[in-house]
Amino acid sequence: ALVQAYDSGGQFYTSTYTLADGTCRLRGIVPSGDYAIRFRPPANTGYAVEWYNNKGWLGAADAVPVVIGQATPNINAQLGYGGSISGQVTAAGSGLPVANVTVRARDESNIGIFDAVTGADGQYTIYWVPAGNVKLYFNAGLTGYSSEWYNDKADFATAVLLALTAGQNVTGIN
């Protein structure tokens, strides 16, 4: 799993990967202060992203005090299985499916969880979504269409929150 350190404002600082036994040592956190630690499992494992101490997003994460030159032990996680979000992306005028749109699930701090790309039929499924509130960004890229946030919103601040429970599979988010 990827283990990452962020400050309370969502600024990324450093990361490392867990070893085969699940342990890790996150180095290079400067300056001393409180940090939020995120555990991001590898794709295709079924496990959901989690913030330290079993929290779904940065704003809810327990602060981990870090002092330069001192170890901060026992910052552990027990990852649970995630749910999914699925739907279809279509062109506003014709209703035809739009392929190659990247759909990004973002937490309440606007930090990415996982992505999916629409197929030729416009369908997508984002797996391993943790319990909590999620916002979706539809990045149209080079498709010729405009990018937008879920439910025709222009920006993160106005995007609609999707509330997911543990392991929930939400469909029809078009």
Side-chain angles (χ1 to χ4, degrees), residues 39-50 78-84 113-114 126-131 166-169:
F39 302 88
R40 188 171 189 214
N44 300 323
T45 62
Y47 294 110
V49 171
E50 180 179 302
Q78 291 182 329
L79 301 179
Y81 287 105
S84 66
I113 300 170
F114 283 109
I126 302 171
Y127 296 99
W128 319 296
V129 180
Q168 181 180 12
N169 298 311

Side-chain angles (χ1 to χ4, degrees), residues 157-171:
T158 61
V160 174
L161 280 174
L162 299 171
L164 278 78
T165 58
Q168 181 180 12
N169 298 311
V170 178
T171 61

Side-chain angles (χ1 to χ4, degrees), residues 60-134:
D62 288 357
V64 175
V66 174
V67 177
I68 294 174
Q70 295 182 11
T72 306
N74 301 316
I75 305 303
N76 303 317
Q78 291 182 329
L79 301 179
Y81 287 105
S84 66
I85 300 172
S86 63
Q88 184 182 35
V89 177
T90 57
S94 67
L96 294 173
V98 180
N100 299 316
V101 173
T102 301
V103 185
R104 294 192 168 116
R106 309 208 47 97
D107 70 17
E108 289 184 71
S109 298
N110 199 8
I111 295 175
I113 300 170
F114 283 109
D115 301 348
V117 177
T118 59
D121 60 358
Q123 298 284 332
Y124 73 92
T125 301
I126 302 171
Y127 296 99
W128 319 296
V129 180
N133 293 322
V134 176

